[in-house]
């Protein structure tokens, strides 16, 4: 490109091009995997379908669980705002008008879930209370200036149904605004006065009845806000409350006591605080597990070890439902990626249809499954030959096995809930208080072989009649909802037990009446005959210890529950083809979720070939290749040093490794320039190691640094 100019100069021509986004389809990763097969695309589509269904179910669950909390918050905001505009000369009302309505929303320590909850709350408030809802974070508000700047900018971006002239006036104000409460109040008055209250608004229900809707300010992480910023804002806002109707919502992760720790009494007295508590994250987890895993709605299931990893991360790390759901999604993705037969992990009619179109390779994959091989070994010799040689017969048998697996899950979850009804209220909770604990134990082994199950049966044999009847009634409701023939008979059996318990009540009343009538007809006797009769009764009771009718019936109920458990709560790994539905690669999941940054960093610096996959970086153990990155060379050399490292020796060793096996070219650079380049590379490598925390400067010796890891400090 040429140009002409009167004077000499340097012209810069920037290339006019747009970056082309190279989009690689996600399903291609399935095709490039280790277990890639001809149905990789179908597996990916099945994964997407199941995940979309599970995701929509979790969103619906979260809406249901937060509904009561959001309804109470909306009611509080509506009553607080109507109280702000009441004209009363009462002294108490005048005092209250100076207080800012404040909702202290305790969300719990699961901080990663707060954003989603507050986003949903913002949407609910905009639809039902006011269009002016602002959310602020402590990191964006270090001082009062930035606090007001963020508040004003977000307020003016709120979507209000006004005419175009009003929008233009808002834009003019936003350009020439002075960030103060006076300008904010003036803007609010101008906007609310110009807005026609009779104008129809989309998705506006309660907010349309107010000419001056309130301004709701949500402080997401109240504990992180500076005390001075909060105090100044509350004091200033209370002075403008009559012209700028503000309502505060404090997002609290720890305890409501933090309000009084951050704010002195003179400031907290300006707030009219009402406490709101969100649902416990443990209850939330139980509901998510109940609707996603303990159901036949979704075919995908987790093994005991995988479920234990996800629950342990939840209980001992972050209490985050969102992270648990992400772990569940990762398990689902890994299952469809690594298991070629996961193509059968879909609803039963679709799975039967797909079985008919299985290829010869997929039939061989079925024959290689450990559970199917155990199943074949139990069959007759003729059937074994047919299963191992005939693909047609194998497909027919696979259809029936998948149908049996579907029936197994249906019965399994019903009996599991029934057993939980009996064990969840026992003292010391031998099989756990939550159903997920019981589910993990049933997934692991035969639960009837455990000591905890034996203690459960002993405790059930000591239950009172009222407790036993209440448990039976809950189980009857569960089994009554099932459509299976065997479980339908189970519901009838439970109904018979309940009828027998009720008949026992009538018999005991008759016995009491007869005993009272006999006691009235007894004649007077002397002490000798009374003592003799008591001794005879004692001998009779000791010789023949007969159980009462209630004890016999209670024993029958316990035996009935025990038979249900032994019949239906078999571990999933005993079922043929369970590998198609169950994800059991706990090691892979642990590698992805339980990060080990120290090990990963050591591996990257000690063996760069592990990540870079460059053949030139391959080396024997203990050797340092000169083509390795500078930081890797410096790291390996520093591992050979003691607690204190001499920088001069370290630099010479680095130069020796770098210049090894290099041919000297006299025409390229001089030796001095070459040494300077190597020295600069060494300084950069040492700086990077210091940034990563492997070394630090020390004043113990001149030109030395101290090691901080693996025995150095």
């Amino acid at each position: 490109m040429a140009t002409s100019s009167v004077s000499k100069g340097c012209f810069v021509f920037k290339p006019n091009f747009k970056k082309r986004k190279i989009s690689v389809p996600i399903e291609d990763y399935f095709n490039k995997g280790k277990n890639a097969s001809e149905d990789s695309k179908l597996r990916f589509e099945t994964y997407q379908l199941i995940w979309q269904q599970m995701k929509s179910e979790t969103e619906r669950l979260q809406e249901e669980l937060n509904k009561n909390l959001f309804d109470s918050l909306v009611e509080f905001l509506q009553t607080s705002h109507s109280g702000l505009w009441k004209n009363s000369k009462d002294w108490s009302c005048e005092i209250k008008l100076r207080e800012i309505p404040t909702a202290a929303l305790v969300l719990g320590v699961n901080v990663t879930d707060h954003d989603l909850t507050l986003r949903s709350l913002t949407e609910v408030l905009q639809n039902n209370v006011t269009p002016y809802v602002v959310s602020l974070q402590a990191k964006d508000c270090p001082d009062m200036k930035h606090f007001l700047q963020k508040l004003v900018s977000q307020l003016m971006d709120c979507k209000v149904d006004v005419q175009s002239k009003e929008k233009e006036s808002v834009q003019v104000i936003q350009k020439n605004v002075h960030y103060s409460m006076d300008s904010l109040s003036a803007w609010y008055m101008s906007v609310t006065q110009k807005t026609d209250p009779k104008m129809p608004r989309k998705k506006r229900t309660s907010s349309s009845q107010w000419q001056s809707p309130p301004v709701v300010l949500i402080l997401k992480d109240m504990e992180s806000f500076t005390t001075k910023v909060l105090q100044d804002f509350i004091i200033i806002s209370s002075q403008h409350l009559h012209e700028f109707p503000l309502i505060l919502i404090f997002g609290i992760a720890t305890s409501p006591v933090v309000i009084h720790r951050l704010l002195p009494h003179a400031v907290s007295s300006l707030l009219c605080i009402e406490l709101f508590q969100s649902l416990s994250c443990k209850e939330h987890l139980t509901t998510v597990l109940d609707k996603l895993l303990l159901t036949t709605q979704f075919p995908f299931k987790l093994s005991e070890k995988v479920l234990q990893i996800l629950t342990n991360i939840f209980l001992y790390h972050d209490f985050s439902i969102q992270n648990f759901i992400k772990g569940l999604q990762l398990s689902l993705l890994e299952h469809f990626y690594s298991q070629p037969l996961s193509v059968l992990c879909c609803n039963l009619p679709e799975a039967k249809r797909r079985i008919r179109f299985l290829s010869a390779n997929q039939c061989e994959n079925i024959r290689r499954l450990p559970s199917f091989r155990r199943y074949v070994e139990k069959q007759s010799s003729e059937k074994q030959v047919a299963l191992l040689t005939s693909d047609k017969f194998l497909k027919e048998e696979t259809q029936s096995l998948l149908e049996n697996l579907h029936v197994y899950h249906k019965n399994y979850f019903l009996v599991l809930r029934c057993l939980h009804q009996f064990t969840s209220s026992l003292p010391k909770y031998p099989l756990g208080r939550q159903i997920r604990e019981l589910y993990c134990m049933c997934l692991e082994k035969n639960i009837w072989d455990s000591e905890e199950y034996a203690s459960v049966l002993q405790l059930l044999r000591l239950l009172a009649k009222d407790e036993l009847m209440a448990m039976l009634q809950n189980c009857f409701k569960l089994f009554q909802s099932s459509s299976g023939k065997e479980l339908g008979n189970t519901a009838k059996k439970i109904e018979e037990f309940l009828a027998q318990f009720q008949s026992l009540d009538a018999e005991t009343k008759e016995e009491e009446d007869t005993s009272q009538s006999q006691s009235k007809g007894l004649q007077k006797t002397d002490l000798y005959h009374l003592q003799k009769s008591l001794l005879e009764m004692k001998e009779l009771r000791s010789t023949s210890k007969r159980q009462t009718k209630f004890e016999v019936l209670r024993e029958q109920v316990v035996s009935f529950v025990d038979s249900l458990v032994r019949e239906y709560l078999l571990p999933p790994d005993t079922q043929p083809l369970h590998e198609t539905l169950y994800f059991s690669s706990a090691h892979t999941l642990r590698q992805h979720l339980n990060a080990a940054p120290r090990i990963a960093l050591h591996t990257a610096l000690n063996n760069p070939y592990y990540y870079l996959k460059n053949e030139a970086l391959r080396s024997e153990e203990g050797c340092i290749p000169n083509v390795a990155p500078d930081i890797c060379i410096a790291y390996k050399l520093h591992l050979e040093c003691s607690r204190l490292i001499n920088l001069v020796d370290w630099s010479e060793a680095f130069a020796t490794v770098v210049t090894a096996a290099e041919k000297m070219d006299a025409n390229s650079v001089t030796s001095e320039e070459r040494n300077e380049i190597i020295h600069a590379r060494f300084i950069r490598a040492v700086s990077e190691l210091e940034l990563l925390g492997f070394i630090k400067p020390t004043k113990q010796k001149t030109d030395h640094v101290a090691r901080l890891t693996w025995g150095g400090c």
Side-chain angles (χ1 to χ4, degrees):
M1 187 180 294
T3 183
S4 58
S5 175
V6 176
S7 60
K8 294 181 180 180
C10 180
F11 300 93
V12 179
F13 299 96
K14 294 183 179 180
N16 187 12
F17 66 90
K18 295 181 180 179
K19 291 184 179 179
R20 295 179 181 178
K21 293 183 179 179
I22 303 173
S23 59
V24 180
I26 304 176
E27 58 266 21
D28 286 358
Y29 290 106
F30 275 67
N31 298 328
K32 296 176 183 177
K34 295 179 182 178
N35 298 318
S37 60
E38 61 270 17
D39 57 356
S40 299
K41 186 176 181 181
L42 182 60
R43 278 191 284 145
F44 178 73
E45 291 173 355
T46 310
Y47 153 74
Q48 281 187 317
L49 178 64
I50 294 178
W51 172 241
Q52 286 302 322
Q53 292 173 353
M54 296 178 85
K55 186 180 179 182
S56 60
E57 182 68 18
T58 53
E59 290 172 355
R60 186 188 64 80
L61 279 176
Q62 286 167 352
E63 287 180 5
E64 288 182 0
L65 294 173
N66 291 327
K67 187 177 184 303
N68 293 332
L69 175 66
F70 290 171
D71 289 347
S72 57
L73 273 168
V74 168
E75 184 181 356
F76 167 73
L77 295 180
Q78 289 175 347
T79 53
S80 301
H81 180 68
S82 60
L84 285 173
W85 298 100
K86 281 183 179 178
N87 295 321
S88 176
K89 295 182 179 179
D90 189 9
W91 178 80
S92 60
C93 291
E94 291 180 1
I95 293 295
K96 196 171 183 179
L97 285 175
R98 299 176 189 171
E99 296 177 350
I100 304 174
T102 306
L105 181 56
V106 182
L107 296 170
V109 295
N110 50 330
V111 181
T112 50
D113 295 339
H114 291 185
D115 276 343
L116 182 64
T117 305
L118 294 176
R119 219 179 299 134
S120 304
L121 176 61
T122 302
E123 188 176 342
V124 170
L125 295 180
Q126 286 177 341
N127 292 337
N128 296 285
V129 180
T130 174
Y132 306 110
V133 182
V134 179
S135 298
L136 296 181
Q137 286 183 305
K139 64 179 182 180
D140 300 328
C141 308
D143 50 27
M144 194 64 187
K145 178 184 175 183
H146 288 86
F147 190 101
L148 288 175
Q149 185 177 352
K150 286 288 180 182
L151 176 61
V152 171
S153 61
Q154 287 195 37
L155 264 182
M156 293 184 178
D157 288 338
C158 289
K159 295 181 181 178
V160 188
D161 298 320
V162 291
Q163 295 177 354
S164 58
K165 292 182 179 179
E166 296 168 7
K167 290 183 181 179
E168 291 174 2
S169 64
V170 169
Q171 291 175 359
V172 171
I173 293 172
Q174 189 171 359
K175 288 179 181 177
N176 303 319
V177 72
H178 176 65
Y179 299 115
S180 66
M181 287 302 294
D182 292 329
S183 61
L184 198 58
S185 302
W187 170 83
Y188 177 80
M189 295 296 290
S190 65
V191 171
T192 52
Q193 286 176 3
K194 290 179 181 179
T195 305
D196 186 6
K198 297 180 182 179
M199 186 183 298
R201 299 180 180 181
K202 295 180 181 179
K203 296 183 181 180
R204 295 283 184 265
T205 55
S206 303
S207 61
S208 60
Q209 64 185 354
W210 294 327
Q211 185 174 358
S212 303
V215 176
V216 179
L217 175 59
I218 302 174
L219 303 181
K220 290 185 177 181
D221 44 352
M222 189 204 173
E223 292 94 339
S224 303
F225 275 88
T226 311
T227 306
K228 189 176 185 307
V229 172
L230 283 177
Q231 289 182 18
D232 293 346
F233 179 74
I234 291 170
I235 292 171
I236 296 171
S237 300
S238 63
Q239 304 296 326
H240 296 79
L241 196 59
H242 60 284
E243 55 192 18
F244 186 72
L246 179 68
I247 299 177
L248 296 175
I249 296 179
F250 291 157
I252 300 173
T254 52
S255 170
V257 183
V258 73
I259 298 176
H260 302 288
R261 288 179 183 170
L262 289 174
L263 305 175
H265 177 70
V267 179
S268 61
S269 60
L270 300 174
L271 303 175
C272 180
I273 304 174
E274 188 165 336
L275 185 64
F276 296 90
Q277 179 75 49
S278 66
L279 186 70
S280 169
C281 50
K282 289 185 180 180
E283 295 177 11
H284 200 158
L285 174 68
T286 303
T287 310
V288 168
L289 284 175
D290 189 44
K291 298 297 182 183
L292 295 185
L293 295 180
L294 304 182
T295 177
T296 56
Q297 181 182 355
F298 304 107
F300 175 71
K301 299 289 180 286
L302 298 177
S303 68
E304 183 269 336
K305 290 184 178 179
V306 173
L307 183 59
Q308 200 67 45
I309 288 173
L310 292 179
T311 51
N312 284 345
I313 291 174
F314 175 85
L315 294 172
Y316 300 114
H317 286 79
D318 53 10
F319 288 106
S320 173
I321 295 293
Q322 294 303 309
N323 289 347
F324 180 86
I325 293 172
K326 287 177 182 177
L328 184 63
Q329 182 187 7
L330 178 62
S331 305
L332 180 68
L333 180 62
E334 189 66 33
H335 176 66
F336 278 92
Y337 176 74
S338 60
Q339 175 58 264
L341 291 173
S342 59
V343 70
L344 303 179
C345 184
C346 54
N347 56 58
L348 187 61
E350 178 64 20
K352 285 184 175 181
R353 190 191 66 81
R354 292 181 181 182
I355 288 172
R356 292 199 298 268
F357 299 101
L358 288 179
S359 64
N361 290 334
Q362 290 167 326
C363 290
E364 287 301 319
N365 288 332
I366 292 177
R367 293 186 179 104
R368 293 191 193 101
L369 291 177
S371 62
F372 186 78
R373 293 170 68 180
R374 289 194 298 267
Y375 171 76
V376 172
E377 290 171 359
K378 296 177 183 178
Q379 306 305 313
S380 61
S381 57
E382 295 178 357
K383 194 173 182 180
Q384 285 181 1
V385 173
L387 287 171
L388 296 176
T389 56
S390 173
D391 288 350
K392 183 179 179 181
F393 185 75
L394 175 68
K395 292 176 183 179
E396 293 174 358
E397 192 69 16
T398 304
Q399 286 181 344
S400 63
L401 289 176
L402 273 182
E403 191 171 355
N404 295 338
L405 191 60
H406 177 76
V407 174
Y408 160 79
H409 280 133
K410 194 171 185 180
N411 297 339
Y412 184 94
F413 293 128
L414 278 171
V415 176
L416 182 75
R417 295 179 196 280
C418 175
L419 181 60
H420 179 64
Q421 292 292 335
F422 280 95
T423 60
S424 59
S425 57
L426 294 178
K428 295 185 179 179
Y429 310 105
L431 293 179
R433 190 172 185 176
Q434 303 289 340
I435 193 170
R436 56 177 169 77
E437 299 171 332
L438 177 62
Y439 181 51
C440 284
M441 296 178 74
C442 293
L443 287 175
E444 184 180 7
K445 59 184 178 180
N446 293 332
I447 194 170
W448 53 85
D449 294 335
S450 62
E451 296 179 0
E452 293 85 0
Y453 183 76
S455 63
V456 162
L457 294 183
Q458 291 178 357
L459 291 171
L460 289 178
R461 292 187 177 99
L462 301 174
L463 286 177
K465 184 171 61 176
D466 295 338
E467 295 175 330
L468 202 58
M469 285 186 69
M471 293 175 180
L472 284 172
Q473 285 173 352
N474 292 333
C475 291
F476 177 70
K477 293 176 183 176
L478 283 173
F479 286 112
Q480 202 174 21
S481 61
S482 67
S483 58
K485 294 180 180 179
E486 295 181 0
L487 293 177
N489 297 332
T490 304
K492 290 180 182 178
K493 188 70 176 175
I494 294 176
E495 194 174 10
E496 291 175 5
F497 281 132
L498 289 171
Q500 290 177 11
F501 276 116
Q502 290 172 356
S503 64
L504 278 178
D505 293 337
E507 290 179 6
T508 51
K509 287 181 180 178
E510 290 178 2
E511 289 177 1
E512 288 177 359
D513 295 339
T514 54
S515 62
Q516 287 177 1
S517 62
Q518 287 177 0
S519 62
K520 289 180 181 177
L522 287 174
Q523 297 179 354
K524 292 183 179 180
T525 181
D526 55 0
L527 183 62
Y528 172 74
H529 288 94
L530 179 63
Q531 203 170 16
K532 186 178 179 181
S533 61
L534 289 173
L535 286 172
E536 289 175 355
M537 290 172 62
K538 186 178 180 181
E539 288 176 1
L540 284 171
R541 287 179 181 175
S542 61
T543 54
S544 60
K545 290 184 178 179
R546 293 191 303 173
Q547 289 182 326
T548 62
K549 291 183 178 179
F550 166 68
E551 290 173 345
V552 172
L553 190 57
R554 182 174 60 186
E555 185 64 33
Q556 291 177 1
V557 171
V558 174
S559 301
F560 172 71
V561 173
D562 185 37
S563 65
L564 281 179
V565 170
R566 291 174 183 271
E567 184 177 358
Y568 294 108
L569 286 188
L570 292 166
D573 55 9
T574 61
Q575 305 300 311
L577 304 182
H578 73 275
E579 294 94 342
T580 59
L581 306 182
Y582 281 82
F583 174 67
S584 57
S585 183
H587 177 69
T588 305
L589 190 68
R590 192 182 289 111
Q591 278 185 330
H592 288 301
L593 296 181
N594 287 354
R598 192 190 68 149
I599 297 174
L601 200 58
H602 174 71
T603 305
L605 296 176
N606 197 41
N607 183 19
Y609 173 78
Y610 184 83
Y611 290 106
L612 298 178
K613 303 299 180 186
N614 187 351
E615 291 297 329
L617 298 176
R618 276 186 180 274
S619 63
E620 297 179 4
E621 197 161 342
C623 297
I624 306 175
N626 64 320
V627 293
D630 293 341
I631 188 173
C632 298
I633 298 173
Y635 177 78
K636 280 195 170 187
L637 290 171
H638 115 284
L639 290 179
E640 300 173 358
C641 302
S642 59
R643 190 174 64 88
L644 293 177
I645 307 174
N646 190 328
L647 285 172
V648 177
D649 297 341
W650 195 7
S651 175
E652 290 178 356
F654 179 84
T656 303
V657 173
V658 169
T659 57
E662 285 188 3
K663 295 180 180 179
M664 295 293 292
D665 188 2
N667 297 326
S668 59
V669 289
T670 62
S671 60
E672 292 183 2
E673 292 177 353
R674 192 161 173 273
N675 291 336
E676 287 178 0
I677 293 172
I678 293 174
H679 187 63
R681 288 167 59 184
F682 172 73
I683 292 173
R684 184 177 63 180
V686 170
S687 301
E688 289 172 351
L689 288 176
E690 183 182 358
L691 180 66
L692 292 174
F694 289 105
I695 58 172
K696 72 170 184 178
T698 180
K699 294 182 179 179
Q700 295 182 11
K701 283 187 178 181
T702 311
D703 298 334
H704 279 70
V705 292
R707 279 186 63 183
L708 297 177
T709 55
W710 290 281
C713 61

